[in-house]
Amino acid sequence: MTTPINAFWWSPRRDLRALAHELRDHAPAWSRLALGRGRAFTNHGDELSELVLTEALGRRVRWAPLGREDVVAIGSAIVPYLTRGGVGQIWGTGLHTPDVPADRAAAVRDRVLAIRGPLARAALGLPESTQIGDPGLLVRSLRPGLPRERRRGTVLVSHFTSHMTAVERRTISAICSTGVRLLPPTLTPADMLAELGAAEHVMSAGMHGVILAHSLRTPATLVSLKSPAATEAAFKYHDYHQSVGLDVHPTPWTSVLDADGRHAARERGERDLAIADARIDELVEGLFRSAAPLRSGR
């Protein structure tokens, strides 16, 4: 009989330290999100760890705090892993920043099965032979999207911090007034995958909306909902995009308020997908191979 695997992912519903942080720093956003679809204090990208690990490994998955986990997978969890006593294997986890103390990086290198992208691999001083790829890409094999001719509509995946201020909430409303449908980050992974796999175009304010759209072969656009819009993406976005052979440039929300702007964004998303598609297939194969040690719990 296969034994369960203990996995850590960001989860304020399970982690009191994370919950305290969110109540202190992002309470206005969570109070708004609690009124809509999904479950408050969850993020579809992080929660996807349970679904991907279950389906890719054939093992039951239990959440565990750092220090009692067998694996850390989806999310940007390297820094908390290093600072809070992580002990499990690292499979596809990423970084928010390249600034990792050399001694801490060296101490965990032998636990790395895969890392999100080439920039994180370099920041940790890992050999170039180390497998890269975000495990969210595995939904390409596990939960394929609809055929292109059956897809309908454009959706906007918000980040939970996008709901913090009245300005950004008005920005979301302005985009949705054009017929774009809002997908809050609190949707369950299954619901989010069904929505993204049925859409013609995904606009996302967060990284995992883009990753999952690419995995489901849906054109994706990274949209900045800030005012003024961000002109440069954070480290983790560059890390993921470089892993699939793309450059990253956030699109200002003002440019997608008219039909011509949305059409141009979708066309750029289609070009990106054409470039990244074969590379994603390669990463998926490599991620499955690199996960072999995680399948051995018998």
Side-chain angles (χ1 to χ4, degrees), residues 18 25 31 41 67 106-107 115 161 246 264 266 272 285:
D25 294 348
S31 64
F41 299 109
I115 200 75
T161 58
L246 297 174
R266 178 180 168 183
D272 282 352
E285 290 179 8

Side-chain angles (χ1 to χ4, degrees), residues 184-258:
T186 50
L187 289 184
T188 66
D191 286 345
M192 184 65 78
L193 293 177
E195 295 277 10
L196 300 184
E200 291 178 303
H201 179 210
V202 170
M203 297 190 292
S204 180
M207 187 173 68
H208 268 96
V210 174
I211 292 174
L212 297 182
H214 285 165
S215 70
L216 295 167
R217 293 189 168 93
T218 307
T221 301
L222 179 64
V223 176
S224 173
L225 300 180
K226 302 292 185 183
S227 295
T231 58
E232 179 56 45
F235 173 85
K236 65 179 183 179
Y237 293 93
H238 286 280
D239 193 31
Y240 164 68
H241 281 75
Q242 286 193 27
S243 78
V244 297
L246 297 174
D247 294 324
V248 55
H249 303 286
T251 296
W253 66 271
T254 50
S255 70
V256 298
L257 291 180
D258 62 79

Side-chain angles (χ1 to χ4, degrees), residues 55-94:
E55 297 191 7
L57 306 182
R59 299 179 64 180
R60 187 162 59 89
V61 176
R62 298 183 301 206
W63 185 88
L66 287 168
R68 297 204 305 236
E69 85 290 358
D70 300 314
V71 63
V72 180
I74 297 174
S76 300
I78 290 291
V79 170
Y81 179 95
L82 295 175
T83 59
R84 293 170 56 184
V87 296
Q89 292 176 296
I90 295 167
W91 183 58
T93 302

Side-chain angles (χ1 to χ4, degrees), residues 9-15 19 22 29-51 61 63 158-160 163 183-192:
W9 61 89
W10 183 85
S11 178
R13 293 177 72 94
R14 301 171 179 88
D15 186 339
L19 179 61
E22 293 308 313
W30 291 115
S31 64
R32 294 281 177 167
L33 286 166
L35 301 175
R37 295 174 63 188
R39 299 190 308 160
F41 299 109
T42 66
N43 178 54
H44 70 100
D46 298 280
E47 295 288 323
L48 187 68
S49 273
E50 182 175 12
L51 184 152
V61 176
W63 185 88
S158 60
H159 191 272
F160 68 88
H163 298 263
L183 302 180
T186 50
L187 289 184
T188 66
D191 286 345
M192 184 65 78

